[in-house]
Amino acid sequence: MAAPIPALDIDGLVSWYGKVEVVSQVTLHAMPGETVALLGRNGAGKSAMMRTILGLEPPIRRAGSVELDGEEITGRETHEIARLGVGMAPDDRKIFPHLTVEENLVLAQKLTASGREPRTLGEIYAMFPLVAELRRRGGAGLSGGEQKLLAIARAAIQRPRVLMLDETSEGLSPVMVQELVAVIHRLQAEGITMLTADQNLRFCSKIAKRGYVLERGRIVFSGSIQEFWEKVEVGEMSLMN
Ligand SMILES: Nc1ncnc2c1ncn2[C@@H]1O[C@H](COP(=O)(O)OP(=O)(O)OP(=O)(O)O)[C@@H](O)[C@H]1O
Ligand SMILES: [Mg+2]
């Protein structure tokens, strides 16, 4: 039997913000349905990595390869990469404050790339019960945690195959983190492959078995979250700034 092909396979990726190399020779992969953590302190290059994968500018993609289910996507336009099934919940959420929660979702549904079949509101509300409760609320009236859940729901409605979550647990109360973990487990049950950038090791250990640690754009650790945690505990590695 042929070896399974990674859902996301990145090899020697390099990108720049202006003259500064922010992603340096990054090689990583996620198998279909796997959730992989991307750890690293502030400014390590986690967001730059995600933006590079999605073909967003800045940064400027320069070298290396990104394959989606074995298909090369390097150099393609962002809308084309989205059409192939890569989605992102960005760290700055980008919720429309003057629209209700439901209107934000409907807009994302309408903006689903042609050729992809978006999820229904009912499906999303079943996966995100808290978002369902908030559906008539205005975007401006949401807490930071509620906005983060909505940002994920909005990405999920476009039925991505690979979903990138940027700093989703940051600044959330323990109750909201629990809600987030439950939501991510539901997305995992749907078979979605995820890459999650975070600094919260405890949160990552609840949703991922494996991860990569970035430092100044380079991978300095790859392996099990448990193994990394042990290195942090003995002071061999750190995520502190
Ligand atoms: N728009 C930009 N223009 C120029 N440099 C940038 C820009 N955004 C980020 N950088 C720089 O790129 C590097 C990587 O930043 P990035 O935002 O990817 O880090 P991060 O790991 O996501 O950090 P954080 O945990 O703070 O979100 C940092 O040195 C940062 O200062
Ligand atoms: Mg970031």
Side-chain angles (χ1 to χ4, degrees), residues 51-205:
R51 294 180 62 85
T52 305
I53 293 168
L54 207 47
L56 290 168
E57 289 188 13
I60 308 164
R61 188 206 316 244
R62 294 284 183 176
S65 118
V66 181
E67 287 184 4
L68 195 65
D69 295 319
E71 186 177 350
E72 183 72 55
I73 61 167
T74 318
R76 300 223 191 152
E77 300 278 343
T78 299
H79 66 85
E80 174 71 0
I81 295 171
R83 199 183 60 73
L84 291 169
V86 183
M88 173 153 88
D91 52 352
D92 56 1
R93 280 102 69 185
K94 297 249 160 42
I95 303 300
F96 290 101
H98 305 298
L99 301 183
T100 65
V101 165
E102 184 153 294
E103 287 164 348
N104 268 279
L105 287 169
V106 168
L107 186 62
Q109 196 182 36
K110 285 190 181 137
L111 292 174
T112 301
S114 65
R116 294 201 69 77
E117 180 67 23
R119 288 192 166 82
T120 63
L121 282 173
E123 284 172 304
I124 288 297
Y125 290 152
M127 285 161 91
F128 297 80
L130 190 62
V131 173
E133 278 176 36
L134 297 168
R135 62 182 180 268
R136 313 230 176 278
R137 285 264 288 278
L142 300 178
S143 72
E146 290 164 349
Q147 285 187 36
K148 289 194 178 209
L149 280 181
L150 175 55
I152 302 172
R154 207 179 40 182
I157 207 166
Q158 299 186 338
R159 204 183 291 276
R161 290 190 290 150
V162 173
L163 176 57
M164 299 189 289
L165 306 174
D166 198 359
E167 302 275 2
T168 39
S169 80
E170 189 199 19
L172 299 197
S173 68
V175 172
M176 281 305 275
V177 172
Q178 257 182 8
E179 178 73 23
L180 185 59
V181 168
V183 158
I184 290 174
H185 286 166
R186 276 178 225 123
L187 294 171
Q188 288 170 334
E190 299 268 319
I192 301 176
T193 307
M194 279 180 274
L195 183 62
T196 171
D198 223 285
Q199 294 187 45
N200 182 339
L201 207 45
R202 184 174 298 277
F203 166 70
C204 286
S205 73

Side-chain angles (χ1 to χ4, degrees), residues 17 20 22 40-49 58 91 166-167 199:
Y17 273 130
V20 184
V22 287
R41 52 189 89 172
N42 293 120
K46 305 180 296 297
S47 300
M49 259 299 290
D91 52 352
D166 198 359
E167 302 275 2
Q199 294 187 45

Side-chain angles (χ1 to χ4, degrees), residues 40-41 213-215 228 231-232 235-241:
R41 52 189 89 172
V213 180
L214 272 180
E215 225 172 80
F228 178 67
K231 285 185 185 293
V232 170
E236 218 176 291
M237 299 200 95
S238 168
L239 291 175
M240 295 297 157
N241 289 289

